[in-house]
Amino acid sequence: MPSYRLSDFIARFGGELLGADVEIQQVATLEAAGSTQIAFLANPKYARQLAETAAGAIVLGDKARALTDKPRIVAANPYLYFAQISTLLNPPRRPAPGIHPSAVIAAGAQIDPSAAIGPFVSVGEGSRIGADCVLAAGVQLGADVQLGAASWLHANVVVGDSCQLGERVIVHPNAVIGADGFGNAWTGEAWYKIPQIGRVLIGNDVEIGASTTIDRGALGDTVLEDGVRLDNQIQIAHNVHIGKHTAMAGCVGVAGSTRIGAYCTFGGSAMILGHLDIADKVNVMAGTLVGKSILKAGTYVGQYPVQSHEDWLANAAHLRRLDGMATRLKELERKVGRFDADQGE
Amino acid sequence: MPSYRLSDFIARFGGELLGADVEIQQVATLEAAGSTQIAFLANPKYARQLAETAAGAIVLGDKARALTDKPRIVAANPYLYFAQISTLLNPPRRPAPGIHPSAVIAAGAQIDPSAAIGPFVSVGEGSRIGADCVLAAGVQLGADVQLGAASWLHANVVVGDSCQLGERVIVHPNAVIGADGFGNAWTGEAWYKIPQIGRVLIGNDVEIGASTTIDRGALGDTVLEDGVRLDNQIQIAHNVHIGKHTAMAGCVGVAGSTRIGAYCTFGGSAMILGHLDIADKVNVMAGTLVGKSILKAGTYVGQYPVQSHEDWLANAAHLRRLDGMATRLKELERKVGRFDADQGE
Amino acid sequence: MPSYRLSDFIARFGGELLGADVEIQQVATLEAAGSTQIAFLANPKYARQLAETAAGAIVLGDKARALTDKPRIVAANPYLYFAQISTLLNPPRRPAPGIHPSAVIAAGAQIDPSAAIGPFVSVGEGSRIGADCVLAAGVQLGADVQLGAASWLHANVVVGDSCQLGERVIVHPNAVIGADGFGNAWTGEAWYKIPQIGRVLIGNDVEIGASTTIDRGALGDTVLEDGVRLDNQIQIAHNVHIGKHTAMAGCVGVAGSTRIGAYCTFGGSAMILGHLDIADKVNVMAGTLVGKSILKAGTYVGQYPVQSHEDWLANAAHLRRLDGMATRLKELERKVGRFDADQGE
């Protein structure tokens, strides 16, 4: 494992060195770090751990600069700085370029010689795989798929016909890009399948989690702009448009044709209904169902609070009678207000 | 790309031609369509787009027949009609019949010569694959699986031992049919796995979305009747029975042994608990948790409304005290009622 | 199919025989069982079915011993006893040991000769597969993966680099263990990916459902202790720790760094936010969002009750005004209390 001195980090990423220019081999948490490891403090809540850490060095913010005597780097954004160090110390295990003999590459598919194509991969007709791409074992690409340079599809990812992914896109195992959207017309007796003839278009620097599914458009395309980050088990329906740098935590669902702005965040399990508009810089908290458009930046919530079972039984029953309670409250106000009047107030 | 005239569509699907019998090459939305494309108007809400569209022709309903001068087809169900045109214009890219040399077919498995078996497919002992079926790359079938004619399993789909799928069934990538259900008995110290010895039985014309999972029965079978439509990321537990033509949007979960009727619809992320009965023609809206049987057709909801974070903080706290509020309201009514009496009302 | 007498079961599993020592070939439900099958009664609710069953024999508890004259076994835990019989009668179809010729095993990977490695399996460098393991078709293992004896990975499961699974672990199709966690630092302009350098460590006797995803730790490890049971479509984020014998139903999500105790249960679709502590023996009911730590054993709920659409429209609107209702109630109490005082009560 290569090692670096703190001054090497500063030469690359900036920041200010305080204390000895020690050698660092790995990143770790304040709790777990040893003498050859560097930890970080971004949240003052963990300052107590700083006092007890055995880390060889610390990355911290300007306000925390005096909280320890250890060798340290003062950085404007300690969490980001730490991530940059970690990236330097932990380059991904990149397979060697070349096409595994078991892979099935259709005639006419173009694969850059620097790309690494693993075992049991299939690539359909007309597909183009850019420089330095990695297709791990079991990846299945349809026809006319385009994959920009340095993108990495992990094991068993499926990409359907005609979908396009940009550069440096990462797709985690078992994700599916470009399955048919869910479109059915009712004949009066049965559902009739609507052909899904759009594509999925994904920009640069997008990351897509394990078992996430992104459906192709019904007529137009499903679009993820640059820098979008999707966690695991997310469902993006047909014709959804997600603006740049929007991030979604695990198990989120977005129904068809909804248009989500840039720089939004969605907590885990949030569900966004179809044909809505969500403005830029909207934060939707975990577990929230968004049933109408949100046209203004801000934080939105719809979480039912957890309670003990006994309390919930006592309280939740009234939810079914809130309208009755509201009516009774109004009636009381009418009467009591009149008493007020009667009594000369 | 083949092209058709409006009169070709009418010969196939009925409807009334108004205006010129133009040539059409593709379907598109009102917004995106060009002069060789046909669009549709099903929802009067989009009538404004009709005025502005560059589409070569329109499918619309009888009430909208006079809303444009363009070449048009008047149809009883414009959305369905449009879907039929799209199906005609967009036949799926069907792989050629035959078994890819990399596929592993167990001795004794029967595969119709018209079926197309892709690379890296395995088919277990005793399985039977009907005419015109497609098994895309990476599909893994267990033993004694039956697949009716013209069914299509997309890439990396898994079907477990002894499961049966009907004719014209479509299963999207990475779906899993026939994994073990979740059955555990508590020994007093640990969970003991209950063998899951039932099957999954799927009727004709069923469509199953990407990454959807349908577990085999514990003792009896899990059943999806004809025409059921499941979107992506759905979980169907063991011994669930779903009646014909019921449709579920993405991320729905149905717990074990629940019996769902025919012609139901479930919005995204709805969760149906176990051992319930849901009648025919029940519509459950998105995000709703169904915790008791629904014995009457109709629309059911349990959505917590989204609010700004500030409003939610102010309001949600009272949910934990609703029972107290109800008691106080009753007490007020008792008192105020008495005032009424005291004052001779 | 082998058959057993009731006395054979008693010799293995204990219990008391009442009636004839009949021969049994299979397990079934009370409703479906025939004369060569054994059923069970664990819940008195189904006692009526006992009267009507055609089963050849019954397993039941002591209190129910006199509810039938049929051949029967009285057991302390009839459900567990029945499961043990079912396991005896339904051994899994175990593939023969050996490595399928299509599998790609990296140089240096160690595979016990008793293990069964299916078609299209890849095993990375340094990985070790224990005795009697089964890797079904399409399983993809990274480098340095460890798999304890008698573990079974079903079709298309993916396990990432350096993850460790104990003995007798079962992983159902398309599950993903060890994908990158969702870690991003904001640069001011875009998300910067945090390397995920931890592992997933899974104990003995763990079962993991189809399409479930368990992310590797960011710095430390994600841990599932012995005996944990996870259903399908579950998302376990990075650095989560799940105590022994905890069970989660389908579609549950657990966000990063949350620590869950032993002997807990989580109903379907429950969502647990990040950085929380959940004590031992906590039961969280289906659909509940847990947004704060739970430090005491017990049952917790946060379910919005389902209603007819009309009732919901009438009631849910007041949720947005609960704070106003609470204020008005307080004001009424102030006034009415004063009336009380005014009138000398």
Side-chain angles (χ1 to χ4, degrees), chain B residues 38 149 178 218 241 245 252 329:
Chain B
I38 189 165
H241 187 114
H245 307 302
V252 165
L329 186 58

Side-chain angles (χ1 to χ4, degrees), chain A residues 77 84 86-87 93 120 137 156 174 207 229 232-233 245 248 307 309 312 320 322-323 326 333 340, chain C residues 102 143-144 156 174 184 186 191-193 211 213 215 234-235 299-301 303 315 318 328 335 339:
Chain A
N77 183 340
Q84 290 171 316
S86 181
T87 303
R93 284 199 214 206
F120 320 126
N156 287 354
N174 286 16
E207 186 166 356
R229 301 288 159 112
N232 297 354
Q233 306 263 16
H245 307 301
M248 298 184 176
Q307 303 174 272
H309 191 216
W312 179 81
R320 290 211 182 79
L322 266 189
D323 193 44
E333 287 173 323
D340 284 0
Chain C
S102 65
D144 298 321
N156 288 354
N174 286 16
N184 297 285
W186 184 247
W191 296 107
Y192 182 93
K193 178 179 173 63
S211 284
T213 50
D215 283 346
I234 288 174
Q235 154 66 359
T299 297
Y300 295 85
V301 203
Q303 296 170 346
N315 289 311
H318 299 294
R328 288 159 59 199
K335 287 188 178 173
F339 291 152

Side-chain angles (χ1 to χ4, degrees), chain C residues 10 47 52 67 104 112 117 146 153 185 189 213 223 226 245 286 305:
Chain C
I10 285 174
E52 296 164 7
L67 294 184
V104 173
D112 190 278
I117 310 295
Q146 289 185 33
L153 308 189
E189 295 180 344
T213 50
V223 177
D226 291 351
H245 307 302

Side-chain angles (χ1 to χ4, degrees), chain C residues 328-340:
Chain C
R328 288 159 59 199
L329 185 59
K330 208 166 187 176
E331 172 65 11
L332 275 172
E333 286 173 323
R334 199 185 54 77
K335 287 188 178 173
V336 171
R338 196 180 45 209
F339 291 152
D340 283 1

Side-chain angles (χ1 to χ4, degrees), chain A residues 225 242-244 246 259-265 277-283 294-298 300:
Chain A
E225 294 188 6
I242 303 181
K244 61 184 179 178
T246 282
R259 226 185 141 80
I260 293 175
Y263 307 104
C264 295
T265 62
D277 278 300
I278 309 294
D280 290 352
K281 300 188 182 175
V282 165
N283 308 308
I294 297 179
L295 303 176
K296 207 179 127 194
Y300 296 84

